[in-house]
Amino acid sequence: LRVLDLVTRLDTERLGILMPGADEQGTEAVRRRLFDFLAGIDLIDPGGNEFVPVWRAVTWRGPGAGIAAVQEFLRPVDP
């Protein structure tokens, strides 16, 4: 990641990677590198459940790409 990128815990199940100025190609490059790294690791929680990473890329550009769109993305996921 770049120095200006931010990795943050969104809630108990999600991490967010905020990448200002990144486009779809930039987010895909990070996804590929992260998943390649995680492929070599057994991700098991203390209860014996397998952790399966999921990637969701969202970019905001142009009209309507204000803070409300970012806040909606950061909103906790309903169970």
Side-chain angles (χ1 to χ4, degrees), residues 30-56:
V30 170
R31 184 206 62 79
R32 192 172 40 254
R33 287 179 26 218
L34 179 61
F35 276 56
D36 286 350
F37 174 78
L38 293 175
I41 301 172
D42 289 329
L43 301 170
I44 307 295
D45 73 10
N49 302 302
E50 182 179 5
F51 171 75
V52 180
V54 176
W55 181 270
R56 179 176 154 218

Side-chain angles (χ1 to χ4, degrees), residues 8-30:
T8 185
R9 186 175 189 170
L10 300 176
D11 55 40
T12 59
E13 297 182 0
R14 300 181 307 146
L15 295 177
I17 303 173
L18 303 177
M19 301 169 51
D23 60 10
E24 291 81 5
Q25 290 175 330
T27 61
E28 176 57 23
V30 170

